[in-house]
Amino acid sequence: MTAKFNMRLIQERAGDEPIAAALVLGSGFAALGEMLKDPVTINYDELQGFPGGGVTGHGKNLLIGELEGKRVALLTGRAHYYEHGNAAAMKMAIQTLAGLGIDTLMLTNAAGSIVNDIRPGDLMLINDHINFSGLNPLIGLAGDKRFVNMVDAYDPALRQKALDIAERDFLDLKQGVYTWYSGPSFETPAEIKMIQGFGAQAVGMSTVPECILGRYYDMRVWGCSFITNMGAGMSDEHLSHDHTQTMVASGGERMQSLLTKMIAEL
Ligand code: HPA
């Protein structure tokens, strides 16, 4: 299984002009793919080590095409640790993207808010993360490169770009720290109270391993959460995957709009 095989296949299908950014689209955000000009679609099954599509609402295609005059690669689905117990499930995908020379990795997800001033329907720029799982996608790798520096893991210049766009276009963009909880069960109210004490603002089941992998491969990482619910015990809402998907369907356009504006300014 090699990233080289994937890189060759992708370049044969989509050409080898530079790609400005790779985007990992969380549940429900795959509609961004419909905005691509002249997209080339490659199913994950054709690539080595790309994730299988096991979660409702997640796709399994790599799309390469033009958006806002820039060539971008969209991953319409991701692997989550909870699907198989492998924290490094996105390693080959991210290694392949980095191998193609893509230096910017943009991560999106659906998340629960654990603070009262970030509400369902809000977009939250990820400033930093807390790995509450004890897992790491780099475990088992050899060499000193595995000791990745995670200060400013979410690129300060890209974060500022998002804040500038939000201010310019009157987009309500919250900011906060995202906590990775393994899932697939939601958290208990006691766990939410504990995470609140950590100083985090949101919780979700993805993104952190991809951020670590992106940094390992020297990519600039940017992340944004769409808040679908208040954390367990904070409201009367019954938490379910159905609820997450319904919320994302109603807010997907705002995420899409921010992503498009970010890409325009890369
Ligand atoms: N917890 C974990 N993951 C989530 C949540 C949540 O409350 N909402 C959406 N994804």
Side-chain angles (χ1 to χ4, degrees):
M1 203 157 69
T2 65
K4 279 218 171 78
F5 171 91
N6 292 337
M7 285 153 54
R8 202 173 311 125
L9 188 138
I10 292 166
Q11 289 185 331
E12 271 167 23
R13 299 270 187 94
D16 59 2
E17 297 99 272
I19 298 173
L23 285 80
V24 179
L25 301 174
S27 22
F29 301 130
L32 190 68
E34 288 157 27
M35 295 178 66
L36 286 192
K37 215 173 103 195
D38 304 327
V40 170
T41 302
I42 304 172
N43 192 278
Y44 291 171
D45 287 343
E46 299 178 72
L47 295 159
Q48 294 185 349
F50 270 59
V55 183
T56 331
H58 282 261
K60 48 178 304 192
N61 285 319
L62 171 66
L63 305 181
I64 296 180
E66 210 181 290
L67 191 63
E68 297 291 324
K70 309 266 164 58
R71 257 161 66 82
V72 292
L74 305 186
L75 278 80
T76 63
R78 57 154 56 93
H80 306 79
Y81 172 76
Y82 63 71
E83 292 171 64
H84 30 59
N86 176 14
M90 291 293 284
K91 181 171 178 293
M92 185 55 82
I94 292 173
Q95 187 182 353
T96 299
L97 299 168
L100 289 169
I102 304 176
D103 73 349
T104 301
L105 180 64
M106 300 173 70
L107 306 171
T108 63
N109 61 45
S113 167
I114 58 170
V115 292
N116 283 320
D117 57 353
I118 300 181
R119 310 296 305 178
D122 280 345
L123 290 177
M124 189 194 90
L125 179 66
I126 303 178
N127 282 336
D128 200 350
H129 73 224
I130 292 173
N131 183 349
F132 181 49
S133 70
L135 305 159
N136 197 296
L138 307 181
I139 288 174
L141 296 186
D144 288 352
K145 197 168 160 32
R146 68 187 143 171
F147 301 111
V148 176
N149 183 344
M150 294 297 288
V151 176
D152 285 335
Y154 298 84
D155 188 77
L158 290 176
R159 279 193 272 138
Q160 190 56 50
K161 204 181 281 291
L163 294 173
D164 291 346
I165 289 169
E167 193 178 328
R168 183 195 70 199
D169 294 352
F170 306 104
L171 229 168
D172 182 19
L173 181 63
K174 304 290 200 305
Q175 302 183 57
V177 174
Y178 173 92
T179 310
W180 178 32
Y181 181 81
S182 76
S185 63
F186 285 96
E187 303 73 32
T188 64
E191 286 164 345
I192 293 295
K193 283 202 187 100
M194 180 178 67
I195 304 170
Q196 284 169 336
F198 290 171
Q201 282 71 41
V203 61
M205 305 178 192
S206 67
T207 302
V208 166
E210 294 147 30
C211 171
I212 295 170
L213 286 162
R215 294 303 299 137
Y216 178 74
Y217 290 112
D218 296 316
M219 299 172 95
R220 300 195 298 171
V221 175
W222 180 87
C224 188
S225 295
F226 177 74
I227 302 298
T228 54
N229 58 278
M230 298 309 290
M234 293 180 72
S235 82
D236 295 336
E237 203 81 66
H238 175 77
L239 299 186
S240 68
H241 188 57
D242 258 2
H243 177 71
T244 303
Q245 286 191 287
T246 309
M247 282 300 293
V248 168
S250 70
E253 257 176 49
R254 292 183 41 246
M255 176 68 90
Q256 209 164 299
S257 159
L258 177 62
L259 294 174
T260 308
K261 289 168 192 233
M262 284 293 292
I263 288 163
E265 306 218 352
L266 283 179

